[in-house]
Amino acid sequence: METRKDWWKNSVIYQIYPRSFMDSNGDGIGDLNGIRQKLDYLKLLGVDVLWLSPVYASPNADNGYDISDYRAIMEDFGTMEDFDAFLAEAHKKGLKIVMDLVVNHTSDEHPWFLEARSSKENPYRDYYIWKDGDTEPNNWGSVFSGSAWEKDEATNQWYLHLFATKQPDLNWENEKVRQEVYSMMTWWLDKGVDGFRMDVINLISKDQRFLDAPTYGGLYGNSMIYTANGPRVHEFLKEMNRNVLSKYGIVTVGEAPGVTVEEAKKYTSADENELNMVFQFEMMSIDQGEYGKWTPIPFDLRKMKQNFKKWQEGLADQGWNSLYWNNHDQPRIVSRFGNASEEWRKKSAKMLGLCLHMHQGTPYIYQGEEIGMTNVRFDSIEDYKDVEILNAYKELVKDSKRLSEDTFMEGVYRMSRDNARTPMQWNDQKNGGFSSGQPWIGVNPNYRTINAEEALADPDSVFYFYQKLIDLRHKLPILTNGVYKQYLEEDENVYVFSREGENEVLVVLCNFSRSPQHVVLPDELVGNAQLLLSNEEEKELQKEMDLTPYEGIVYQIKK
């Protein structure tokens, strides 16, 4: 296995949502043995690292992001023996494994919280955040709608939960909590895992004044103002790095809602000794309206280009970007920024893949992205499983009547998290080959035409295009190190940028439109070029270019 210190810079990471990936025992739920069965498929794709969404013991209030035992495997997914066998086989095939680390909160069924809520005098009480009062201690809202505070009737205090009521926030001000977390992380690393994706890690340090937050017209205050990038977060992460991370040659990525470029430099600069990279979400909100994802607005390419420029230039010299279109919390990218119609799905999926992977940073692929899986339109709200959808439906449609059912459902179809959570489509057989039993959530009906078996049989598939993108990432140091520069910034349909190294320049052209586009390139981008990759018939790089709908193309110019 590779041991170069920054091996993750030219790696490609593939995210697996275990519940929806592959079911090996027919209970309708994906599991570790199912993932193990598909390792050869992932090796064929060419990825380097597999990131598993949580597989720990959990009552599943938020699909595993509410952990009741950090050192046990959820029964739905198998046993620790199954995990060990999976880890060993993945390593044998040269694949690294990244675990999801969820330590901003636990489940309310975790032994720590069961002890904590048993009495105010219990030694574990201070593992969580408790406040007195006849009413909520402040106006903070939960990410999943409603108040971020829940009254514990037995002890007559409120506990903080920035997410679901069954996800009480840990008190990172308590050194014992931090040491418990570091001990658990060390246990997994000693077992042989290769890194951590850290769930909402920038929320672990709360402003201890617990002030009311602005509501911005909403029902509750925006708690992120006092919880994201809090006063001691960098101190805590430096301590974590000292005690744990620095002792292993691993990769770390922190999910960081509300992070700025300047904060991201602190998290990810090699000089700061915290994390390798962060996930930021600015790009993911460019098509959200008044009520966020539930009221989407039209996609604006110029906003996207501005965001790419801001982060590519901002972290160019210190820090590191993570590159992603999809994950378990986002809708399918081909339905969002591409075109999911039968005519354009494959081509726009390839263009989007090419666009993302040509930037500086570590690319992430979410399961099914490599075959161009799309959003789903279930018949009824009853078909959806995600706590975020169901809570927002109750708050916005049923209780406050701020949105009509039809408006809300259009938001669900376009933006909901369950779009990413429908089962992986392996073939055109029952349930898309995901399970012989009844899947825990419905399969997208288009599995009969969109599936991995079909993709592997088609030399022109999205799968093989992604395979080529990954191969370029491994072969071309310029994709890791080259300087980013953007052109034609005001063009509403075409995204043009370059990556420049000492002896070569890569020129990237992406048409985000369903209509042909004519572009005039600056002289510095025109030269004796070799075509590296295209989702269209070959054409020469010229000063004036006619791009077909959703064309994506990259050239290499030797200096």
Side-chain angles (χ1 to χ4, degrees), residues 123-142:
Y124 286 93
R125 186 72 170 183
D126 196 40
Y127 274 42
Y128 297 88
I129 298 167
W130 300 89
K131 298 292 176 188
D132 291 318
D134 295 329
T135 58
E136 289 91 339
N138 61 31
N139 71 351
W140 291 2
S142 159

Side-chain angles (χ1 to χ4, degrees), residues 230-407:
R232 299 183 69 189
V233 67
H234 295 292
E235 174 194 340
F236 293 157
L237 288 175
K238 283 177 169 57
E239 181 182 78
M240 178 192 286
N241 190 295
R242 247 186 348 264
N243 288 12
V244 185
L245 306 177
S246 61
K247 299 175 181 178
Y248 301 86
I250 59 171
V251 60
T252 55
V253 54
E255 183 189 30
V259 71
T260 62
V261 169
E262 289 309 309
E263 283 290 336
K265 288 179 184 177
K266 296 177 190 173
Y267 288 119
T268 68
S269 171
D271 298 335
E272 296 289 348
N273 296 311
E274 294 186 18
L275 305 174
N276 298 142
M277 62 192 108
V278 294
F279 287 132
Q280 53 89 6
F281 295 91
E282 287 181 10
M283 182 84 76
M284 295 297 115
S285 63
I286 62 174
D287 54 350
Q288 296 185 8
E290 182 182 3
Y291 292 98
K293 64 174 64 177
W294 314 120
T295 49
I297 57 177
F299 169 64
D300 184 338
L301 179 64
R302 287 174 300 181
K303 285 185 187 175
M304 175 187 283
K305 294 197 293 190
Q306 288 163 7
N307 191 262
F308 267 126
K309 182 178 181 181
K310 173 181 173 179
W311 286 89
Q312 288 287 296
E313 293 180 352
L315 296 186
D317 299 320
Q318 45 180 319
W320 191 250
N321 279 290
S322 56
L323 308 171
Y324 72 97
W325 287 134
N326 294 284
N327 62 35
H328 64 289
D329 285 336
Q330 302 297 336
R332 293 286 177 182
I333 196 62
V334 72
S335 297
R336 187 176 187 180
F337 297 156
N339 187 325
S341 69
E342 188 175 346
E343 182 179 11
W344 299 118
R345 180 185 63 86
K346 286 184 181 180
K347 191 175 179 189
S348 66
K350 292 176 186 178
M351 180 276 291
L352 288 162
L354 183 143
C355 176
L356 189 77
H357 285 242
M358 292 301 109
H359 287 89
Q360 185 176 50
T362 298
Y364 289 74
I365 299 169
Y366 179 72
Q367 64 185 48
E369 179 185 341
E370 77 282 4
I371 58 170
M373 280 177 62
T374 69
N375 282 355
V376 68
R377 289 178 74 98
F378 289 137
D379 294 334
S380 159
I381 190 72
E382 310 295 329
D383 297 318
Y384 289 88
K385 308 293 185 184
D386 180 26
V387 62
E388 182 185 47
I389 299 171
L390 302 179
N391 286 2
Y393 178 75
K394 179 179 183 297
E395 181 176 292
L396 296 173
V397 179
K398 293 301 184 187
D399 293 350
S400 71
K401 296 184 168 46
R402 292 190 173 210
L403 296 178
S404 71
E405 178 131 0
D406 287 349
T407 297

